[in-house]
Amino acid sequence: MDDLKTKYLGLINAASDEQALEDIRLQAVGKKGEVALAMRELGKMTPEERQTQGPLLNALKDEINSALAAKKAALGDAALNERLAAEWLDVSLPSRGRRMGTIHPVSQVTEEVSAIFADMGFAVAEGPQIEDDWHNFDALNIPPHHPARQEHDTFYMHRDEGDNRPPHVLRTHTSPVQIRAMMAQGAPIRVIAPGRVYRSDYDQTHTPMFHQIEGLAIDKDISMANLKWVLEEFFTAFFGTKVKTRFRASHFPFTEPSAEVDVQCSFEGGTVKVGEGNDWLEVLGSGMVHPKVLKYAGVDPSAWQGFAFGMGIDRIAMLKYGIPDLRAFFDSDLRWLRHYGFAALDVPTMRGGVSR
Ligand code: PHE
């Protein structure tokens, strides 16, 4: 019995993993193990011998079992300690550097423009990008079959067969927000409405999705002169210097009279520069809001009048930041975004300031 004890306690002590321990357990105290065999020998003994040998064998069995359990716990502790040592982490180390995203020039310019007009007393209005054709066209005095509807290269929303509701369109300009704002607030009103607009068009200065900012000022005595002053004041504040502008007579169904405004610039050496050169970039359409439009929007044209304009945000971003190709704005090319993007904490620049 002493031999068995020495043998198994030695083996258990030397076991290096759980599998080895299990093998030892079977060999020692399993059903066919050495201790079980010794138990069987008891049958051949005299009752007196059995009385002394039986308890001794049981005690041996217990001793081996508890040695197995102790070793198993020790192996578990060792494995845990090893993991704790290997997976140790210094939470006081400085973190790895992470590249910051940038603000897209369109977002930056939208903020800049909104801040300048806010200084001049314009609040921000909003409307949906999927617009019904009444707000996008009819209420702006563009009836069905008017050539302006075709000129807008409109994207129409899909309609199931048999669905005969009037069409919804991706708004082709921000002008429908004029209607929505007047219907909601009445007159007098002074709002701007920045947002996305859509037309099926694609070249160096046109993309199928682009951005406009609508302006609307309605009161008792607002005239074309106010429009011109507001726009020139805006350009000076936005570009930080006086830039040459050109007011060209034009035509829109929703304004009368109407003017388009161009900004002097040069497209040379792969960049575009504002305030110099022989080129002009058209940046907005404008005019006095047509009496019919006021009426559609629930404003009495015999009591109220005012101006509206729709400016291309992307266009003026190109001019201010010298970005020659509009298409790159929406390519999501990271190199372009890192080059032309703005740090998140850049505040809108208003070097010129606005006089009131
Ligand atoms: N909605 C016109 C366009 O997209 C611009 C415009 C707005 C013209 C307001 C006059 C008044 O071309």
Side-chain angles (χ1 to χ4, degrees):
M1 241 180 267
D2 279 343
D3 288 348
L4 282 181
K5 178 172 164 179
T6 315
K7 172 178 169 188
Y8 283 110
L9 291 186
L11 282 175
I12 289 167
N13 193 38
S16 60
D17 57 38
E18 285 201 23
Q19 186 54 51
L21 268 188
E22 179 60 10
D23 293 343
I24 295 163
R25 191 186 68 79
L26 290 172
Q27 200 188 330
V29 295
K31 272 192 188 131
K32 291 175 186 160
E34 282 201 85
V35 176
L37 290 179
M39 296 264 193
R40 240 168 270 163
E41 299 292 314
L42 291 173
K44 298 175 194 160
M45 293 179 186
T46 64
E48 292 75 30
E49 280 175 326
R50 212 177 299 150
Q51 269 199 341
T52 54
Q53 295 303 308
L56 284 175
L57 268 175
N58 272 330
L60 173 64
K61 191 176 166 187
D62 287 347
E63 198 170 350
I64 290 174
N65 273 329
S66 42
L68 282 166
K71 181 68 182 183
K72 190 170 171 180
L75 284 176
D77 283 351
L80 181 61
N81 282 334
E82 203 173 303
R83 262 188 75 191
L84 285 173
E87 293 173 16
W88 179 83
L89 188 69
D90 183 354
V91 293
S92 70
L93 282 176
S95 61
R96 236 174 262 146
R98 239 206 271 166
R99 208 187 248 279
M100 288 292 225
T102 56
I103 305 291
H104 195 283
V106 169
S107 307
Q108 176 78 13
V109 165
T110 303
E111 288 295 315
E112 292 175 12
V113 173
S114 304
I116 294 168
F117 281 109
D119 265 7
M120 292 195 269
F122 287 77
V124 172
E126 282 182 320
Q129 292 177 44
I130 298 175
E131 188 55 281
D132 55 66
D133 71 343
W134 187 81
H135 283 93
N136 195 81
F137 293 123
D138 301 69
L140 290 161
N141 195 32
I142 314 174
H145 311 302
H146 189 287
R149 285 216 189 190
Q150 278 75 56
E151 281 160 27
H152 273 207
D153 302 307
T154 312
F155 288 112
Y156 285 88
M157 302 304 289
H158 173 76
R159 281 275 190 263
D160 284 335
E161 204 155 332
D163 183 343
N164 296 319
R165 284 176 300 162
H168 277 84
V169 301
L170 290 180
R171 67 178 180 196
T172 59
H173 49 180
T174 42
S175 298
V177 188
Q178 287 184 38
I179 306 297
R180 290 184 178 275
M182 283 190 278
M183 290 180 94
Q185 300 173 35
I189 186 170
R190 229 189 288 180
V191 290
I192 52 165
R196 297 183 163 197
V197 299
Y198 303 84
R199 287 181 209 176
S200 181
D201 209 349
Y202 191 65
D203 61 33
Q204 190 179 345
T205 48
H206 297 88
T207 51
M209 186 280 297
F210 58 106
H211 300 81
Q212 286 188 335
I213 187 158
E214 196 78 8
L216 174 72
I218 304 289
D219 211 320
K220 295 281 180 192
D221 53 2
I222 291 192
S223 72
M224 252 343 233
N226 299 119
L227 168 68
K228 196 154 183 265
W229 183 87
V230 163
L231 290 177
E232 283 178 344
E233 197 72 10
F234 164 75
F235 287 129
T236 304
F238 179 74
F239 291 113
T241 171
K242 267 228 167 325
V243 294
K244 264 203 189 146
T245 52
R246 187 166 77 173
F247 282 70
R248 260 186 304 109
S250 183
H251 176 265
F252 299 100
F254 35 94
T255 48
E256 181 59 37
S258 304
E260 282 177 317
V261 179
D262 306 332
V263 170
Q264 184 195 23
C265 66
S266 76
F267 278 94
E268 267 156 36
T271 76
V272 47
K273 287 209 186 95
V274 73
E276 59 176 69
N278 304 318
D279 271 316
W280 296 91
L281 190 68
E282 182 195 320
V283 295
L284 66 89
S286 63
M288 296 299 292
V289 178
H290 198 290
K292 278 195 184 172
V293 173
L294 294 175
K295 214 155 114 194
Y296 279 125
V299 170
D300 179 2
S302 67
W304 305 96
Q305 63 177 36
F307 65 74
F309 61 83
M311 182 154 48
I313 293 182
D314 322 83
R315 293 282 181 90
I316 61 170
M318 291 170 74
L319 282 177
K320 181 165 179 178
Y321 295 111
I323 309 171
D325 192 328
L326 181 60
R327 289 167 294 195
F329 273 69
F330 311 116
D331 282 347
S332 301
D333 181 330
L334 276 180
R335 291 163 305 175
W336 188 92
L337 291 168
R338 281 173 194 145
H339 181 78
Y340 287 110
F342 293 83
L345 294 176
D346 263 7
V347 287
T349 55
M350 287 192 291
R351 279 162 290 176
V354 171
S355 57
R356 291 177 212 221

